[in-house]
Amino acid sequence: MTVTPVHWQKSSYCADSSNCLSLAASPDTTIHIRESETPHTVVTITRSQLGILIDAIRAGTLTSP
């Protein structure tokens, strides 16, 4: 299995802070999300799932576990 390297993009809101989100898109259309304090922990979701997450964040409908 060939692993395609991803290009991580840091949030423009991050500046030089150590607590940042980075995103990367894969050729298979999945999106990878990681946090700078734990860069080896990566969440992989589809583009539609990311859209649902962003909509929920904007609407304020997320709850803490």
Side-chain angles (χ1 to χ4, degrees), residues 34-57:
R34 70 180 182 186
E35 201 267 332
S36 59
E37 290 183 350
T38 54
H40 299 294
T41 301
V42 177
V43 174
T44 301
I45 61 177
T46 66
R47 290 175 187 232
S48 62
Q49 290 169 328
L50 179 60
I52 292 167
L53 175 62
I54 291 170
D55 289 344
I57 292 168

Side-chain angles (χ1 to χ4, degrees), residues 7-37:
H7 173 73
W8 290 100
Q9 294 181 311
K10 190 188 306 185
S11 168
S12 61
Y13 290 97
C14 183
D16 290 327
S17 173
S18 64
N19 192 13
C20 303
L21 280 182
S22 296
L23 297 171
S26 289
D28 67 359
T29 70
T30 57
I31 304 293
H32 309 285
I33 304 170
R34 70 180 182 186
E35 201 267 332
S36 59
E37 290 183 350

Side-chain angles (χ1 to χ4, degrees), residues 61-65:
T61 57
L62 293 179
T63 58
S64 297

